[in-house]
């Protein structure tokens, strides 16, 4: 595996390999077994958007693997003043062993990979969030002991999370039902990918999507960069919420997941959130383990 740019690029086998390695690294960390696979290596972490989980889990993960992480805020870099990504890629490739980038346009991440000569990891774009979804699949597998045959439900905006969950869920052998309001559907490339899977369904009714689900996901109504649309989106997404009524349609032992940050009483009620806090914060922890596996896969030998 050379880069992690989007879930679409990964085969089912590669996803399973990452999850298995993540399980192993998690076990080693909990048992004090050293795993300095990236000793002496450096990871540049470019952030053009805010982050709590991604920054801290990559930084800590790199340290635990014996490497050195550099936090690079775009506001302090020449890229923030218009230096082309093609040049940034070629310069940083001379210093670093890998780059994690969180930005707006997916093309920027793809360009970094095209022009650079080191592994690139997508830490979120407007299009997708593959690191999050690998952690999500890891968490579902931990709780349910499998992915294949389970039903995933996603309720809300057809955004970066929806795009990656649909692809990751289907590649993992799950059936995937999504409820989005009109005008907020997942990306066309994802819809084109999903249409070949009989287990995929896009509906407008959240309860219909939640029927017999084993795991339910949601995400914020307004993502980073959409702050100006908040009020308009509050109206468009009314009812696209994980609440007791929606939960009553799912399996009684269904999990609830949220990539965080969450907006209580918007996409999820405080009650459902707290009832499933264990799963949600295990999911947040698993960012660390899943990303360490990704870094070892792309930047080092196991
Ligand atoms: N879920 C997630 O990516 O969180 P941050 O925005 O805090 O990194
Ligand atoms: N859809 C959200 C995810 C945050 C992790 C956003 O892009 O802001």
């Amino acid at each position: 595996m050379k880069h992690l740019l989007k879930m679409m690029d990964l085969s089912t086998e590669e996803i399973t390999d990452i999850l298995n390695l993540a399980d192993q690294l998690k076990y080693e960390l909990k048992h004090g077994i050293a795993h300095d696979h990236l000793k002496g290596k450096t990871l540049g972490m470019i952030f053009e958007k805010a982050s709590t989980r991604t920054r801290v889990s990559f930084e800590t993960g790199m340290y635990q693997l014996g490497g050195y992480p550099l936090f690079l805020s775009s506001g302090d870099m020449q890229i923030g003043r218009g230096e082309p990504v093609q040049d940034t890629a070629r310069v940083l490739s001379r210093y670093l062993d890998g780059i994690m980038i969180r930005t707006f346009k997916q093309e920027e991440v793809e360009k970094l990979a095209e022009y650079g000569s080191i592994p690139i990891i997508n830490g979120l774009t407007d299009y997708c969030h593959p690191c999050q979804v690998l952690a999500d699949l890891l968490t579902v597998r931990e709780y349910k002991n499998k992915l294949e045959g389970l039903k995933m439900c996603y309720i809300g905006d057809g955004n970066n999370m929806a795009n990656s969950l649909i692809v990751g869920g289907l590649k993992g052998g799950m059936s995937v039902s999504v409820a989005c309001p009109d005008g907020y559907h997942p990306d066309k490339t994802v819809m084109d990918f999903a249409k070949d899977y009989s287990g995929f369904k896009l509906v407008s009714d959240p309860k219909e999507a939640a029927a017999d689900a084993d795991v339910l996901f949601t995400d914020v109504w307004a993502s980073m960069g959409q702050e100006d649309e908040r009020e308009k989106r509050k109206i468009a997404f009314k009812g696209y919420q994980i609440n007791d009524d929606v939960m009553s349609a799912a399996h009684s032992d269904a999990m609830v997941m949220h990539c965080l940050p969450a907006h209580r009483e918007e996409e999820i009620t405080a009650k459902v959130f707290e009832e499933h806090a264990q799963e949600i914060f295990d999911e947040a922890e698993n960012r660390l383990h899943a990303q360490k596996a990704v870094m070892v896969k792309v930047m080092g030998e196991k």
Side-chain angles (χ1 to χ4, degrees):
M1 212 175 120
K2 199 161 172 224
H3 306 287
L4 175 62
L5 307 181
K6 52 186 181 297
M7 289 305 291
M8 206 90 87
D9 296 339
L10 297 181
S11 65
T12 299
E13 195 187 0
E14 282 173 320
I15 293 172
T16 306
D17 281 352
I18 293 168
L19 302 188
N20 290 346
L21 179 57
D23 276 342
Q24 186 192 324
L25 294 170
K26 183 170 183 175
Y27 176 89
E28 289 174 355
L29 183 71
K30 305 264 176 199
H31 291 83
I33 302 166
H35 46 258
D36 53 354
H37 301 286
L38 299 182
K39 200 165 180 211
K41 302 223 164 156
T42 51
L43 176 77
M45 308 188 308
I46 304 174
F47 282 91
E48 299 195 40
K49 289 177 174 171
S51 169
T52 297
R53 282 144 287 269
T54 305
R55 177 185 174 176
V56 178
S57 55
F58 264 104
E59 200 160 328
T60 307
M62 193 59 187
Y63 172 76
Q64 290 173 358
L65 289 167
Y68 182 77
L70 292 89
F71 174 69
L72 305 169
S73 165
S74 65
D76 298 330
M77 292 177 73
Q78 298 290 7
I79 199 170
R81 295 180 57 247
E83 184 169 17
V85 69
Q86 297 91 314
D87 297 355
T88 306
R90 284 176 284 191
V91 171
L92 294 183
S93 294
R94 304 288 180 113
Y95 306 136
L96 299 167
D97 299 295
I99 296 173
M100 192 288 307
I101 178 164
R102 166 168 287 197
T103 187
F104 294 86
K105 291 196 174 112
Q106 178 70 16
E107 301 85 79
E108 195 167 324
V109 177
E110 308 269 349
K111 250 188 205 166
L112 260 188
E114 186 186 339
Y115 284 86
S117 53
I118 55 176
I120 306 298
I121 300 171
N122 183 340
L124 179 145
T125 59
D126 294 343
Y127 174 65
C128 66
H129 198 359
C131 290
Q132 179 68 53
V133 167
L134 288 168
D136 295 349
L137 297 178
L138 186 67
T139 314
V140 174
R141 205 176 74 159
E142 234 169 51
Y143 273 78
K144 302 282 185 192
N145 293 314
K146 61 174 185 181
L147 294 177
E148 210 160 340
L150 295 177
K151 176 172 172 179
M152 173 195 284
C153 158
Y154 176 89
I155 294 172
D157 190 15
N159 62 11
N160 43 14
M161 277 305 300
N163 289 336
S164 288
L165 279 169
I166 292 167
V167 177
L170 292 174
K171 286 197 179 214
M174 303 169 88
S175 63
V176 179
S177 286
V178 175
C180 302
D182 275 352
Y184 296 94
H185 286 181
D187 194 83
K188 189 182 172 304
T189 55
V190 172
M191 294 303 295
D192 284 347
F193 168 84
K195 72 175 178 344
D196 294 335
Y197 288 81
S198 58
F200 177 74
K201 213 155 107 177
L202 174 68
V203 297
S204 56
D205 175 11
K207 237 174 142 177
E208 187 184 342
D212 298 322
D214 298 291
V215 52
L216 294 90
F217 287 85
T218 187
D219 188 18
V220 291
W221 291 343
S223 286
M224 289 182 277
Q226 297 172 335
E227 288 76 10
D228 292 352
E229 296 178 30
R230 260 189 82 79
E231 292 313 312
K232 182 181 121 192
R233 283 171 168 266
K234 269 189 187 166
I235 297 164
F237 285 96
K238 202 169 174 327
Y240 286 82
Q241 181 188 65
I242 300 188
N243 52 33
D244 280 343
D245 188 39
V246 164
M247 289 305 292
S248 72
H251 279 311
S252 56
D253 63 349
M255 301 171 69
V256 174
M257 308 261 277
H258 195 306
C259 64
L260 304 174
H263 289 105
R264 289 166 175 78
E265 308 310 331
E266 290 190 12
E267 75 274 5
I268 188 166
T269 59
K271 180 171 178 287
V272 172
F273 184 93
E274 290 305 333
E275 282 168 358
H276 292 272
Q278 188 67 40
E279 292 140 35
I280 292 169
F281 292 102
D282 279 344
E283 175 190 9
E285 178 189 328
N286 280 337
R287 292 292 305 276
L288 173 69
H289 310 300
Q291 284 156 202
K292 282 168 73 180
V294 169
M295 287 191 281
V296 172
K297 287 281 178 202
V298 299
M299 290 170 65
E301 289 301 313
K302 197 176 141 219

